[in-house]
Amino acid sequence: MLKVALLYQTREGQTARILNVIKTQMEQCGFQTAVFDVRDPFVSIDLEGFDAFILGCSIRYGRHHKAFCQFVENNYQTLNARPSFFFSVNLTARKPQRCRPDNNRYLQKYLARTPWKPDLVDVFAGALLYTRYDLFSRLAIQLIMKLTGGSTDTSKDIEYTDWERVDKFCRTVAGHLNNSVRQKQTSEQVGTVAEASA
């Protein structure tokens, strides 16, 4: 059974919610999972103990969180050496012209500057959680929403996450990992046959 580390950083919790859905689906597909918040100072993350990685991070004011970016910078060689997958969560992905990896500029800017090269990336719309923001964030995000055609009603929260898209991401990741297992088993079988014939 492959062990998959699920690593994330969230602000108000929507990225964590998405990751927990991914965790459930990956376990239903037969993978063993463990979830880690990269900011948690009390948790030691030994990446060497895992066969694959799924990472998720939200964006605030156009940038992925600093601690998450630093974590990737510190561990990109291990991430690149094994199957790894990344999803970005931001409110601009609520728009059709910003909802794909190739047209979401925040995701593209991050991928262009990180040494990490995930096997698969995706972008999910997050949630507009006015009731959870502090006063400064509420006013700042309300202004951004006004400028970009979003909701400015601070009395209610709106979830934009497309859960069918999250489900598709999980199925694609599971398929990729299953293919990796089959390729490894085939390679080992070929090696065994070659040794027996020598």
Side-chain angles (χ1 to χ4, degrees):
M1 180 183 294
L2 289 185
K3 294 178 65 177
V4 183
L6 309 179
L7 306 121
Y8 74 100
Q9 184 171 351
T10 191
R11 183 90 176 221
E12 278 78 33
Q14 190 67 11
T15 302
R17 186 177 178 204
I18 292 170
L19 197 79
N20 282 323
V21 168
I22 292 173
K23 171 182 168 64
T24 299
Q25 294 200 28
M26 294 304 292
E27 290 175 349
Q28 289 173 350
C29 290
F31 301 101
Q32 182 179 348
T33 68
V35 175
F36 303 97
D37 182 338
V38 300
R39 295 173 302 172
D40 192 337
F42 303 105
V43 175
S44 176
I45 306 172
D46 178 15
L47 297 184
E48 295 299 328
F50 293 91
D51 303 298
F53 311 101
I54 301 174
L55 284 77
C57 185
S58 59
I59 286 176
R60 178 58 64 88
Y61 306 130
R63 295 179 179 272
H64 291 89
H65 298 298
K66 185 176 180 179
F68 177 88
C69 294
Q70 188 61 57
F71 175 85
V72 171
E73 181 72 22
N74 293 342
N75 295 283
Y76 75 90
Q77 291 178 321
T78 302
L79 297 173
N80 284 339
R82 297 170 198 179
S84 63
F85 313 91
F86 175 53
F87 66 91
S88 176
V89 180
N90 59 73
L91 283 171
T92 61
R94 75 187 189 279
K95 298 183 175 183
Q97 67 272 27
R98 293 286 183 268
C99 70
R100 302 191 317 270
D102 64 311
N103 68 13
N104 189 278
R105 61 184 180 181
Y106 299 130
L107 176 57
Q108 287 300 316
K109 285 170 63 176
Y110 175 70
L111 293 174
R113 67 173 181 262
T114 180
W116 175 37
K117 305 303 176 189
D119 294 280
L120 174 73
V121 298
D122 210 336
V123 58
F124 305 134
L128 187 58
L129 303 174
Y130 279 125
T131 62
R132 301 188 194 178
Y133 301 147
D134 58 41
L135 179 60
F136 173 80
S137 295
R138 187 180 305 117
L139 294 174
I141 293 172
Q142 185 183 39
L143 176 60
I144 292 170
M145 288 297 104
K146 184 175 182 179
L147 295 173
T148 60
S151 173
T152 58
D153 183 355
T154 60
S155 68
K156 61 181 181 180
D157 298 336
I158 303 173
E159 182 180 77
Y160 293 104
T161 304
D162 182 344
W163 295 106
E164 288 184 7
R165 190 182 182 96
V166 174
D167 178 69
K168 182 180 178 182
F169 175 79
C170 291
R171 286 186 278 111
T172 303
V173 169
H176 184 97
L177 292 177
N178 285 326
N179 285 337
S180 296
V181 170
R182 282 192 291 269
Q183 290 172 3
K184 183 178 180 181
Q185 289 172 341
T186 300
S187 177
E188 290 173 349
Q189 289 170 357
V190 169
T192 300
V193 170
E195 289 176 4
S197 301

